[in-house]
Amino acid sequence: MGMREAIESGKFIVTTEVAPPKGCHLDHMLQEAAYCRGRVAGVNVTDLQSSVMRASSLVGCIKLKEIGMPPVLQMVCRDRNRLSLQSELLSAAAMGITDVLCLTGDYTTLGDDPHAKPVFDLDSVGLLKAARGLMEGYDMAGQELEGEPPQFTLGCVVNPGADPLEPQIMKLHKKVEAGAQFVQTQATYDPQQFADFMRQVGDIGVPVLAGIVMLKSAGMARFMNENVAGVTVPDEMIQRMKKAKDKVATSIEITVELVKGLMPYCQGVHMMPLGWNQHVVTVLDELGL
Amino acid sequence: MIATEAKPREEVLERLGDAQSVFIVGCGDCATLCQTGGEFEVEEMKKYLEQVGKKVTGSVIPDATCNVLDTARLLRKNKEAVAEADAILVLACGSGVQAVAEKAAKRVVAGCDTIFLSTQERMGQFLERCICCGECVVDQYFGICPRARCPKGQLYGPCGGYNNGKCEVNPDEDCVWALIYERARQLGYGPEYFENLQPEPTDYEKQKRPRRLVFEPRRG
């Protein structure tokens, strides 16, 4: 199943995420994804996430497709100009990869090679518009594409914990207007805050998938609180992880409760398991998803 | 104005290499304000070079070193001292260095790093506010340029990385979109203004380097 089918089904959507390695062996990444076989509508393949140089998202997606998993191509604007971004969109479509998540991308200096040139020729909205243009048969310069235009299902992201929230929501509206057909959010740990966020977003007509990062330890939770913008892990969860004898079991328990709390306010969840895809399956089992 | 920073002394020395005699050119404009190429800094550099055993054949501080004709005139006026030098050390921005290089048949050494086009907030405080994109849009953003002041130059709105109104990339800086929103609010504009704003992607053809501005000056 891909994103289009999942959206059209109207059912609760589950997606997950894997990261290509800093190296040329993708076996581990594929194994990670394969845990979720038959359970998810899409597997995001990150694009040099956190500005760390790695194998490409497109190659990861091609490999996922080869093993029969539904890839979501993540594309950021940090490393390529509009020519290269559009070219990659066409290349992806040529490989049958049409679910694309469009992001601006982290800044270069936050990664492992701060000396690299930050491109940002476009931002997420510009990239969505470019992809939409290709779907209509034209590139950004207005030149006509040869043959049938590609058909993408485009996604975007939003940070429900952003402060101030107003400009964040304004940009989300712009992304949907530009052609985003689904939304995946930054990690959230607070259903009440998420409900408030969704109320302010209003009816945007596309499914919003709440972002879930499974806690691996109390230390990881504290690290996120200190270092990830707009993400707040409540103290109660940190304490539970700290006291946990079996960290995995407690993390699964917390995640199940969290997703249950979020379900009334979202149309799906996007799991960002950071290597814990086998536990995502357990979470989904417990939720009956 | 153009913000410059002095290169470390050791680096200047390394770049001068085996040049035994040096002529120094400062700048009476931006580099004076940045305290990188004014009278004091030229004098200090002279003392330093003499201390490490070099001969300083002379020095000059044009009103604005990037003014090629004026700089050329001053170099001619000092032609013996310039001729005697193995190298010319320029304490000015990159335009100043190149103005000197264009008019002096000598090896030229840059004593400063040129960092940005700046406003001067007060003495000793310079901020980047403009990146010379060639298509000013600042009026659409209530006088606050997202192209220059957002690391990613985002024209449609903020990324997801700001925290408490601060930029994720430069935590000491305010997120420019938080500033734009606040200014808009003060002026009576709400989110609907931005919802309706449809910026065009930046036109990089306008930034094809090297750029030049040539026109027939008005006389009188």
Side-chain angles (χ1 to χ4, degrees):
Chain A
M1 188 164 60
M3 291 308 287
R4 181 181 309 236
E5 209 180 311
I7 296 165
E8 282 170 1
S9 77
K11 291 184 188 145
F12 195 79
I13 303 171
V14 180
T15 53
T16 190
E17 188 168 298
V18 293
K22 198 182 188 76
C24 56
H25 305 286
L26 275 65
D27 321 18
H28 182 72
M29 186 202 86
L30 294 175
Q31 191 193 348
E32 265 286 310
Y35 287 122
C36 296
R37 187 181 292 278
R39 308 298 296 272
V40 292
V43 180
N44 286 31
V45 183
T46 53
D47 182 7
L48 279 63
Q49 82 273 21
S50 309
S51 308
V52 171
M53 194 288 292
R54 295 162 169 274
S56 77
S57 174
L58 181 57
V59 164
C61 288
I62 292 168
K63 289 280 186 187
L64 277 185
K65 212 166 165 64
E66 280 174 8
I67 63 160
M69 298 290 294
V72 177
L73 176 72
Q74 288 199 187
M75 286 186 78
V76 305
C77 300
R78 174 190 58 238
D79 308 311
R80 288 165 288 186
N81 70 6
R82 65 190 78 177
L83 301 183
S84 181
L85 288 167
Q86 292 177 102
S87 166
E88 181 128 317
L89 282 165
L90 293 180
S91 305
M95 297 304 292
I97 293 155
T98 51
D99 293 343
V100 184
L101 186 77
C102 299
L103 310 97
T104 301
D106 286 326
Y107 198 70
T108 38
T109 55
L110 303 177
D112 69 347
D113 190 349
H115 308 293
K117 181 175 185 175
V119 180
F120 299 108
D121 183 9
L122 305 178
D123 75 352
S124 50
V125 176
L127 179 57
L128 284 161
K129 285 185 171 184
R132 182 71 171 274
L134 295 177
M135 290 164 74
E136 286 160 11
Y138 294 90
D139 68 12
M140 279 183 75
Q143 311 292 340
E144 206 171 336
L145 302 182
E146 294 165 24
E148 247 341 86
Q151 286 311 316
F152 300 111
T153 303
L154 303 172
C156 69
V157 299
V158 68
N159 187 347
D163 173 27
L165 190 56
E166 215 174 63
Q168 187 72 193
I169 289 175
M170 178 276 291
K171 189 150 183 195
L172 174 62
H173 289 161
K174 278 201 144 34
K175 290 174 180 181
V176 173
E177 188 188 307
Q181 292 152 278
F182 65 94
V183 182
Q184 293 173 330
T185 80
Q186 174 60 288
T188 181
Y189 291 92
D190 183 348
Q192 208 44 57
Q193 183 211 42
F194 192 82
D196 283 348
F197 162 75
M198 288 301 284
R199 193 175 38 73
Q200 290 186 62
V201 166
D203 181 14
I204 51 172
V206 304
V208 177
L209 281 58
I212 308 288
V213 172
M214 292 180 73
L215 298 175
K216 292 183 174 177
S217 65
M220 171 201 175
R222 280 192 291 265
F223 178 85
M224 286 203 295
N225 280 350
E226 280 161 30
N227 296 291
V228 184
V231 174
T232 311
V233 185
D235 206 39
E236 173 262 337
M237 282 186 194
I238 299 178
Q239 290 310 319
R240 270 171 78 184
M241 285 307 291
K242 201 175 160 185
K243 289 180 194 138
K245 290 206 172 64
D246 182 343
K247 302 256 186 250
V248 172
T250 305
S251 177
I252 289 170
E253 197 179 287
I254 289 173
T255 307
V256 168
E257 286 168 24
L258 175 62
V259 174
K260 278 183 182 161
L262 288 165
M263 277 174 111
Y265 311 110
C266 59
Q267 292 74 48
V269 283
H270 173 59
M271 308 298 293
M272 293 174 271
L274 310 170
W276 270 22
N277 269 296
Q278 74 268 38
H279 305 311
V280 167
V281 181
T282 315
V283 169
L284 297 178
D285 284 342
E286 300 223 359
L287 288 161
L289 289 168
Chain B
M1 59 156 283
I2 309 297
T4 49
E5 270 177 340
K7 283 183 183 288
R9 287 281 153 89
E10 309 71 51
E11 193 183 327
V12 172
L13 209 57
E14 202 180 302
R15 280 159 188 263
L16 282 170
D18 56 9
Q20 284 309 307
S21 53
V22 181
F23 185 83
I24 305 173
V25 180
C27 173
D29 199 345
C30 308
T32 291
L33 283 171
C34 291
Q35 302 192 346
T36 51
E39 277 179 31
F40 179 82
E41 295 77 32
V42 168
E43 194 50 42
E44 287 294 298
M45 182 58 79
K46 182 168 179 274
K47 282 188 209 155
Y48 171 72
L49 292 177
E50 285 170 351
Q51 221 171 54
V52 297
K54 303 224 183 262
K55 181 178 179 192
V56 175
T57 65
S59 65
V60 67
I61 303 176
D63 286 345
T65 310
C66 58
N67 183 332
V68 177
L69 291 181
D70 194 41
T71 296
R73 184 180 59 77
L74 285 170
L75 289 171
R76 273 198 307 276
K77 217 170 144 186
N78 291 275
K79 64 179 177 211
E80 286 81 17
V82 171
E84 196 194 337
D86 297 326
I88 304 178
L89 174 61
V90 185
L91 305 182
C93 73
S95 290
V97 178
Q98 291 180 64
V100 173
E102 194 182 321
K103 294 299 175 188
K106 282 279 166 187
R107 190 159 71 82
V108 168
V109 170
C112 298
D113 288 317
T114 308
I115 45 183
F116 55 89
L117 174 60
S118 77
T119 59
Q120 182 179 8
E121 300 296 303
R122 57 179 70 90
M123 280 292 284
Q125 190 178 347
F126 300 89
L127 303 175
E128 185 170 27
R129 292 288 181 255
C130 175
I131 55 167
C132 307
C133 68
E135 45 176 3
C136 194
V137 294
V138 73
D139 53 302
Q140 291 175 15
Y141 300 94
F142 303 97
I144 301 172
C145 182
R147 222 173 238 151
R149 295 169 67 174
C150 165
K152 304 175 191 173
Q154 300 184 103
L155 299 179
Y156 292 96
C159 68
Y162 57 93
N163 216 354
N164 291 319
K166 294 287 179 188
C167 175
E168 181 180 38
V169 181
N170 304 301
D172 295 335
E173 296 281 345
D174 293 316
C175 165
V176 72
W177 274 97
L179 293 177
I180 291 169
Y181 253 69
E182 180 54 23
R183 177 76 60 83
R185 198 188 56 74
Q186 286 167 2
L187 295 174
Y189 292 85
E192 63 289 347
Y193 171 83
F194 296 102
E195 303 258 359
N196 292 326
L197 194 63
Q198 296 296 345
E200 289 293 316
T202 300
D203 178 3
Y204 285 95
E205 194 179 8
K206 295 199 169 87
Q207 298 184 37
K208 189 174 65 175
R209 289 194 291 266
R211 291 178 271 184
R212 55 170 67 202
L213 172 67
V214 180
F215 63 96
E216 193 56 48
R218 197 171 38 246
R219 303 286 175 188

